[in-house]
């Protein structure tokens, strides 16, 4: 074993660095490379007797992007086992709880999403670590989506605005985009397309600037539905064409089994079919 491999701080830095590289790869659409690096890093952590909790947390994001929800939830729940008793794991536990909220929502398990959200929101004031504000941004966006899913549209507007207010000062562009998409969707549901469309156009612009395909296709799809709802069929068709192009780009770079699962997911099928239903 090399000297660096016997140094706990060096080992932790090595594992964290590999995880961050994997996240960068997946965030730019290089999912197969990033997921392979996540698996290699998890194997290395086990080989060296190190905890896999944080790496597992990171790895669930691309799994959710690709709708591999069973595996994403398994990794999150495994990371959470006994985590409440671990000193120094406060922030990663909070992030894992936020992961569980998002995965449960995607699975339609609203009960788990709501109860987990409530527990973590109440605990967030005690969350330690540099990403305390990130947890709040994530949870606010999740709450807006929960309210929208439950038909509490005015509450969804309130939480979407709160998400944006939390994210803008700390430059959390990803969750600002999520907040603007949710705000636009909620406003469309309330019949206020005139206010919704500028928010959704800004979400598209910001998502294109950030460059993450997992944000670009839903932003375009949300804009497309809003444009259909306000009678701009031509604009809607263009937005859906852009969303489909991003989806096809993701699919082309995936292994066959992953591509099949991704294309079978209901949100993807709706976009590929050009759904006109505002949601």
């Amino acid at each position: 074993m090399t000297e660096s491999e016997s140094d706990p701080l060096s080992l932790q830095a090595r594992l964290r660095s590999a995880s961050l590289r994997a996240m960068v790869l997946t965030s730019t659409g290089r999912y197969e490379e990033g997921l392979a690096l996540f698996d290699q890093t998890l194997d290395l952590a086990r080989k060296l007797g190190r905890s896999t909790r944080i790496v597992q947390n990171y790895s669930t994001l691309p799994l959710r992007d690709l709708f591999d929800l069973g595996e994403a939830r398994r990794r999150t729940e495994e990371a959470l086992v006994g985590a409440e008793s671990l000193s120094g794991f406060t922030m990663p536990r909070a992030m894992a709880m936020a992961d569980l909220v998002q995965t449960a929502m995607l699975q339609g398990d609203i009960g788990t999403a709501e109860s987990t959200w409530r527990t973590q929101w109440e605990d967030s004031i005690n969350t330690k670590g540099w990403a305390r504000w990130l947890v709040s941004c994530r949870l606010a966006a999740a709450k807006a989506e929960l309210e929208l899913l439950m038909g509490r549209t005015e509450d969804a507007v309130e939480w979407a605005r709160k998400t944006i207010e939390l994210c803008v000062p700390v430059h959390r562009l990803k969750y600002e985009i999520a907040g603007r998409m949710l705000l636009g969707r909620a406003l469309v549901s309330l019949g206020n397309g005139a206010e919704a469309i500028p928010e959704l156009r800004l979400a598209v612009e910001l998502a294109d600037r950030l460059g993450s395909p997992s944000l670009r296709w839903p932003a375009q799809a949300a804009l497309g539905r809003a444009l259909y709802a306000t009678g701009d069929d031509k604009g809607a068709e263009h937005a859906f064409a852009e969303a489909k192009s991003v989806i096809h780009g993701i699919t082309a770079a995936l292994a066959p089994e992953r591509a099949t699962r991704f294309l079978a997911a209901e949100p993807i099928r709706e976009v590929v079919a050009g759904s006109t239903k505002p949601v």
Side-chain angles (χ1 to χ4, degrees):
M1 180 177 289
T2 66
E3 182 178 347
S4 65
E5 288 178 328
S6 63
D7 178 0
L9 293 178
S10 177
L11 282 174
Q12 193 61 36
R14 180 179 174 185
L15 294 171
R16 183 69 63 88
S17 175
S19 297
L20 292 173
R21 288 200 305 274
M23 287 188 71
V24 170
L25 287 168
T26 56
S27 71
T28 57
R30 295 165 65 180
Y31 285 105
E32 293 298 337
E33 293 173 74
L35 288 166
L37 182 54
F38 270 127
D39 288 345
Q40 291 166 14
T41 307
L42 285 166
D43 286 344
L44 178 62
R46 295 184 186 105
K47 175 183 175 183
L48 298 175
R50 308 296 294 179
S51 171
T52 62
R53 294 175 190 270
I54 293 175
V55 181
Q56 286 186 182
N57 279 0
Y58 287 157
S59 71
T60 63
L61 176 56
L63 293 172
R64 282 193 300 277
D65 286 350
L66 300 177
F67 298 95
D68 191 351
L69 303 179
E71 179 62 13
R73 186 159 179 168
R74 185 193 69 78
R75 292 188 187 195
T76 295
E77 290 176 342
E78 186 175 292
L80 283 169
V81 172
E84 65 278 357
S85 64
L86 295 177
S87 61
F89 194 69
T90 307
M91 186 273 288
R93 179 181 182 275
M95 298 296 283
M97 291 285 279
D99 290 337
L100 181 55
V101 172
Q102 291 183 300
T103 303
M105 279 196 294
L106 286 168
Q107 291 179 313
D109 183 358
I110 303 303
T112 295
E114 284 195 304
S115 63
T116 305
W117 184 91
R118 191 177 304 111
T119 297
Q120 189 52 51
W121 185 257
E122 292 171 356
D123 288 350
S124 286
I125 193 170
N126 299 316
T127 298
K128 299 177 182 179
W130 66 269
R132 174 178 173 177
W133 45 265
L134 176 55
V135 176
S136 297
C137 290
R138 291 189 67 189
L139 289 174
K143 181 63 170 175
E145 188 162 5
L146 273 168
E147 299 294 352
L148 196 55
L149 288 170
M150 297 297 291
R152 299 188 287 255
T153 312
E154 291 183 357
D155 290 337
V157 168
E158 180 181 343
W159 277 97
R161 293 193 192 280
K162 183 177 182 66
T163 302
I164 296 166
E165 290 169 4
L166 287 169
C167 291
V168 169
V170 294
H171 308 290
R172 283 309 303 175
L173 194 56
K174 175 179 178 179
Y175 292 103
E176 178 188 345
I177 293 165
R180 293 191 187 282
M181 281 193 285
L182 288 160
L183 178 57
R185 290 170 57 194
L187 288 170
V188 169
S189 293
L190 290 173
N192 193 351
E195 188 179 352
I197 288 172
E199 293 290 347
L200 292 168
R201 289 196 188 281
L202 181 53
V204 167
E205 177 187 333
L206 295 175
D208 286 346
R209 185 191 309 171
L210 193 61
S212 176
S214 65
L215 290 171
R216 292 183 63 221
W217 74 259
Q220 289 282 7
L223 175 61
R225 294 187 182 101
L227 291 170
Y228 272 134
T230 56
D232 184 355
D233 289 1
K234 184 176 180 180
E237 288 168 6
H238 175 74
F240 270 103
E242 291 293 320
K244 291 175 192 178
S245 177
V246 176
I247 286 171
H248 291 322
I250 294 172
T251 307
L254 295 177
E257 181 179 351
R258 244 190 285 270
T260 298
R261 180 189 300 110
F262 179 64
L263 289 172
E266 183 177 353
I268 300 300
R269 289 191 289 107
E270 286 182 352
V271 173
V272 172
S275 173
T276 63
K277 180 182 178 182
V279 293

